[in-house]
Amino acid sequence: IINGDGGSGADVTITNGDLVIGTAGHGIDFSATADGTGSSQVEILDDYEEGSWTPTVGSGNASFSTMIGRYTKIGNQVTLWLRIAGGGSYSGSGALIIQGLPFANNTPFNPIGTSEYYKILFGNGFSDHCTPYLAGQNLQWLRNGSSGGSGNYLTVDLFYSGAAIQTVLSYMTNS
């Protein structure tokens, strides 16, 4: 217990080093500020992590010249950023499915995010807004307004040289 000194409050200042939580299951307790109305509130922040992950193709036989992923995990919320670019090889034309999430998806619905698909076609580029979503542990995209019609899946064969997609998506995990 840290008490204030009578005039400056009860702040703790660490001038060199880190605050280390030495026992699993413990963290920073925010229960003094409980302001939610739910019945199962958790007021302990017990995890923070950021890093990189490698997206893997789970559909068809495809490889890409660029597959970059980053994530931030705060408590049980994971936010993913990824970029996939063509220039590799593929066979088939099924929906592009990405696997290899850094943490298991345990969201009770299919989380959605935002993406931009960009393709160079005969020297000209165009972009197409796509809606990324997680179906279980698989990341897929629905095309919103494309020459193939609205609501089509983004497919593996669209990623020949010059095509790329960038995505941000958040989901819940139990770990």
Side-chain angles (χ1 to χ4, degrees):
I1 297 176
I2 299 173
N3 293 315
D5 61 5
S8 64
D11 296 341
V12 174
T13 302
I14 300 171
T15 58
N16 189 8
D18 299 321
L19 175 62
V20 177
I21 308 299
T23 306
H26 293 278
I28 302 170
D29 186 340
F30 291 97
S31 61
T33 63
D35 42 9
T37 59
S39 61
S40 60
Q41 299 165 328
V42 176
E43 299 275 339
I44 303 287
L45 175 60
D46 62 354
D47 194 13
Y48 177 87
E49 181 179 330
E50 56 186 61
S52 61
W53 66 288
T54 303
T56 58
V57 179
S59 57
N61 183 12
S63 65
F64 296 91
S65 59
T66 302
M67 294 189 78
I68 300 169
R70 303 274 309 151
Y71 69 88
T72 300
K73 180 178 181 287
I74 302 172
N76 70 347
Q77 179 179 319
V78 180
T79 300
L80 298 178
W81 296 267
L82 68 117
R83 176 176 165 75
I84 300 168
S89 62
Y90 68 90
S91 64
S93 60
L96 175 63
I97 296 173
I98 296 297
Q99 297 174 327
L101 300 175
F103 299 92
N105 172 27
N106 290 307
T107 311
F109 52 86
N110 293 340
I112 61 172
T114 188
S115 287
E116 181 181 23
Y117 170 72
Y118 181 82
K119 182 162 98 174
I120 297 173
L121 186 62
F122 306 115
N124 296 316
F126 77 91
S127 63
D128 187 4
H129 180 79
C130 297
T131 302
Y133 70 97
L134 280 176
Q137 307 307 310
N138 298 320
L139 178 59
Q140 294 181 254
W141 291 266
L142 285 176
R143 298 175 73 182
N144 296 337
S146 63
S147 60
S150 181
N152 295 326
Y153 287 108
L154 191 63
T155 57
V156 173
D157 60 324
L158 294 173
F159 281 88
Y160 55 82
S161 183
I165 191 162
Q166 301 174 115
T167 298
V168 176
L169 183 131
S170 293
Y171 66 95
M172 293 171 39
T173 188
N174 286 340
S175 56

